[in-house]
Amino acid sequence: MAYTHPQLATLYDEDNPDGPDHDFYRALAEEIQAEVIVDVGCGTGLLTVSLAAEGRRVLGLDPAAVMLDQARQRPGSERVQWLEGDSTSLPALRADYAVLSGNVAQHIPDPQWQRTLNDLHERLRSGGMIAFESRNPQARAWESWVGEGSTTRHTAALGPLRESTQLRGITGEVVSLRFETQLPTTGQLIVEDLNLVFRTRQRITKQLVHAGFALKAVYSDWQHNAFTGTEPLMIFVATAGTRRS
C-alpha cells in the first residue's frame, strides 16, 4: 500500500509496527553516539520520535503531507523537527547518522536516488553513518503481493477493508503496482499507484561509492547475519568519507 490517501495513512502504524527493524536502527544510533540524526522518508514518525532522546537533534523528512500530519500528532513529536520534501529540503548539517527505514530507498526513483545519496553525504560529518534496507530483486517479492481477486481484512483504524493488488508492469528495475482498497462501510474505493525500484546489491554499492560512502556491511536480517546473495532483504550500512570541496 502507498498510504498516500489521508484515510489510509491512519493504517500505516498498524501495518508497520515498531519491531526488530527499528531496534536495529536505534542500536546503530546508540553505537555511534549520534547527536544529530536525519530520518529520511520518516512517514508517521514512529521510529523518528523514538530516536529523539534527550540531547539529540532529530529531523524527520517526508514528501507526504498526510504522513507528516500523523507524525505531528504523535506523543513526543515536539522533540523532532519535521520537514516536508525530499533531500533537497534538508538544511546544512553536520549530522552523525542518516536512516531510511521501511524500504524507503525503493520509493525513490533514479536519478533522484543518486541525488539523495549525494545530498546525505553532504550533510553527514566525515565518518557519519547511513543505514537503510532494500528488497533483493532476486527474491521477486512482488509476486507474493499480487493475487487474483480481492480479499477482506479487519483493521483497528478503519474496520473491514476489501483489498486487491495488481501488477501493472515491470520496466527494468521498476515494478509498477496498483492497490485498490474499498471501505465496505461506505463503499468508497481508494486507488493508489506505486512504483518500486528493485536495485541489486552491486548497483546500490556502486551508487553509495559514487556519493562518497564506504560500504561497511550488507546484512540479510536484523540480527546482523551477512547477506550472501539469495536472501530477500539487504540492509546496507556505510560511512561518509571526507566531504567534497
Side-chain angles (χ1 to χ4, degrees), residues 33-155:
Q33 299 181 325
E35 295 182 357
V36 181
I37 299 174
V38 180
D39 186 357
V40 179
C42 65
T44 62
L46 185 60
L47 171 62
T48 326
V49 168
S50 73
L51 290 168
E54 186 176 355
R56 280 181 178 164
R57 179 187 179 190
V58 177
L59 293 83
L61 174 70
D62 201 281
V66 294
M67 300 290 266
L68 291 176
D69 287 342
Q70 298 289 319
R72 292 187 178 101
Q73 296 175 38
R74 184 178 300 286
S77 63
E78 71 280 357
R79 301 194 302 267
V80 178
Q81 180 182 352
W82 303 104
L83 298 170
E84 182 180 342
D86 58 20
S87 60
T88 63
S89 304
L90 288 170
L93 294 168
R94 289 291 188 274
D96 302 299
Y97 183 38
V99 58
L100 303 89
S101 66
N103 294 293
V104 164
Q106 293 190 253
H107 292 257
I108 307 175
D110 291 306
Q112 290 93 330
W113 170 239
Q114 184 66 67
R115 186 205 66 209
T116 299
L117 292 176
N118 295 347
D119 289 342
L120 290 175
H121 184 272
E122 291 301 312
R123 287 161 177 81
L124 284 169
R125 62 169 174 80
S126 179
M129 182 175 289
I130 184 173
F132 60 91
E133 82 271 24
S134 188
R135 300 178 186 91
N136 180 5
Q138 291 187 23
R140 302 179 68 85
W142 63 88
E143 293 180 347
S144 66
W145 304 336
V146 178
E148 295 183 5
S150 59
T151 58
T152 300
R153 70 173 172 125
H154 292 271
T155 66

